Amino acid sequence: MGSDKFRLAVSADGSTFFDGLSVDNANGIVDQPRLPRCKTCTNYDDHVGVGGAWT
């Protein structure tokens, strides 16, 4: 049987390839696995008072 995803593989140097885009055949979900992402959080004082400013 075939793979469970449609893949578009890319390479900067022509020898090492990675998935640039994939589509899951079962549910149609598109993924860009190398898309830049970040996750942030604060560890104190998340409260912003009325009329206050938070940066």
Side-chain angles (χ1 to χ4, degrees):
M1 302 233 171
S3 81
D4 61 345
K5 290 187 178 185
F6 168 80
R7 301 172 50 233
L8 177 63
V10 295
S11 174
D13 60 9
S15 63
T16 305
F17 290 83
F18 59 89
D19 286 356
L21 182 117
S22 66
V23 181
D24 189 314
N25 291 342
N27 55 28
I29 293 176
V30 177
D31 186 26
Q32 293 176 290
R34 305 230 351 163
L35 188 66
R37 297 177 174 102
C38 72
K39 180 179 179 180
T40 62
C41 65
T42 60
N43 60 1
Y44 66 94
D45 198 12
D46 289 334
H47 174 74
V48 178
V50 174
W54 182 71
T55 48

